[in-house]
Amino acid sequence: PAALILWGLSWIYVTFGALAEIAAVFHGLKAAVLAIVVAAVWRIGKKALNVPWKWAVAAGAFLGIFVGKWPFPAIVAGAAVVGWMVGRGRSELGESKFESEVRNAAGQRTELPSWVRAGRVVAVGGLLWWAPVIAAGLWQGWDGVLVREGIFFSKAAMVTFGGAYAVLPYVGQQAVENYGWLTAPQMLDGLGLAETTPGPLIMVLQFVGFLGGWNQPGGLPPLVAATLGAAMTTWVTFVPCFLWIFLGAPYVERLRENRRIAGALAAVTAAVVGVVLNLAVWFGWHVVRPTGWTGGWSAGTDWFAVAVGCGAFVAMQRWKVSVVTVVLASGVLGVVWAWVG
């Protein structure tokens, strides 16, 4: 359902996005999404950063991606190595009592699936995963936008630790600066659209694929190319998830009793906090200061976005207002603000 809804919203965006009323809605949506991202940093950080070494990993991840412009896959790999080295004892992992009891009880089942089953899962999953990409290459050529989207979002699917908030800076950087599928403001709008759908936020990648096909149709009608790009993106984003589940689920209990693997995963979670914080800073700068440094601090600041963003954050944190309600209300406020203006 979310894929179909987002396809419709994406079509409305590219067709009517230049209208003043639609632009006003997105003005409010961006402020709401800023509050949602900040709330995500707060929520994930409270759970993940419970010992000093995890704070250090989160800070290093933030500085690495914000200052050093390190790619997200490299940050994930580096954090995993640090966690693997730290994961020698339970106290160093910062486990709760419940987590320790779960780990002690894990691994009691001795029977595991055979390697033949694993080979079948990999073969079937790999065929389903790459068949559309190969078909697109044979049809459009290996430099076509569908093939490039299939390969890129397959790589993104491999590093979606922490969900959409964590992988968005990586996707945004590559899709905007490297491939030219969309612009940075369009990326912000896509995140706002994705927040209005009932599905997972990772659906924002479908919006990127839609815009990629629309802006680079390669001889096809723009809507056809955009629809195929959206379908390709969604397919290669989700099929690997099923592959990992069918392949790895029988071994989860065994993995949980391995302290080094637990340490690696804990470190990756801590790194995600720093990466999402980077997204909040990047997103906040583009929302609050849409003109950059132009116009001076007071004149160049979007005070409407500041007010709506702060109000949305308080509503979610203090009164537990749902995300959908906050997004819809912010869109309405954007229209009202445009009328008043």
Side-chain angles (χ1 to χ4, degrees), residues 165-178:
Y165 291 122
V167 79
L168 271 180
Y170 171 61
V171 171
Q173 180 188 33
Q174 295 296 315
V176 173
E177 300 176 6
N178 188 20

Side-chain angles (χ1 to χ4, degrees), residues 56-234:
V57 170
F62 174 76
L63 293 176
I65 195 170
F66 185 77
V67 179
K69 306 300 181 183
W70 297 350
F72 181 56
I75 292 175
V76 170
V81 171
V82 172
W84 180 275
M85 297 173 63
V86 170
R88 294 190 301 267
R90 185 177 307 153
S91 61
E92 294 176 347
L93 290 179
E95 291 180 327
S96 66
K97 180 180 179 181
F98 173 76
E99 289 169 333
S100 299
E101 292 173 351
V102 168
R103 189 176 310 284
N104 290 333
Q108 295 179 0
R109 199 179 85 173
T110 58
E111 183 180 354
L112 292 174
S114 67
W115 287 104
V116 174
R117 175 193 176 275
R120 290 174 179 170
V121 170
V122 171
V124 174
L127 178 62
L128 292 173
W129 182 355
W130 290 103
V133 181
I134 296 173
L138 296 174
W139 173 39
Q140 279 195 320
W142 302 105
D143 292 331
V145 66
L146 293 179
V147 173
R148 286 184 290 158
E149 287 183 339
I151 294 175
F152 171 71
F153 288 108
S154 293
K155 294 188 292 185
M158 299 286 287
V159 292
T160 50
F161 296 94
Y165 291 122
V167 79
L168 271 180
Y170 171 61
V171 171
Q173 180 188 33
Q174 295 296 315
V176 173
E177 300 176 6
N178 188 20
Y179 295 103
W181 290 332
L182 74 174
T183 64
Q186 288 174 334
M187 188 75 190
L188 304 181
D189 293 339
L191 188 56
L193 281 179
E195 289 284 8
T196 66
T197 67
L201 185 60
I202 198 68
M203 293 304 302
V204 68
L205 301 188
Q206 177 183 303
F207 176 83
V208 178
F210 186 98
L211 265 290
W214 182 273
N215 293 323
Q216 300 177 12
L220 296 174
L223 183 57
V224 173
T227 301
L228 292 175
M232 177 69 78
T233 300
T234 302

Side-chain angles (χ1 to χ4, degrees), residues 244-267:
W244 308 144
I245 290 171
F246 285 120
L247 185 63
Y251 304 92
V252 167
E253 294 298 328
R254 292 292 183 90
L255 294 177
R256 287 199 299 188
E257 67 179 344
N258 188 309
R259 302 190 194 286
R260 292 189 179 276
I261 293 178
L265 295 177

Side-chain angles (χ1 to χ4, degrees), residues 9-26 189:
L9 293 175
S10 301
W11 176 79
I12 293 173
Y13 176 82
V14 297
T15 306
F16 305 104
L19 296 179
E21 293 81 0
I22 302 298
V25 172
F26 279 103
D189 293 339

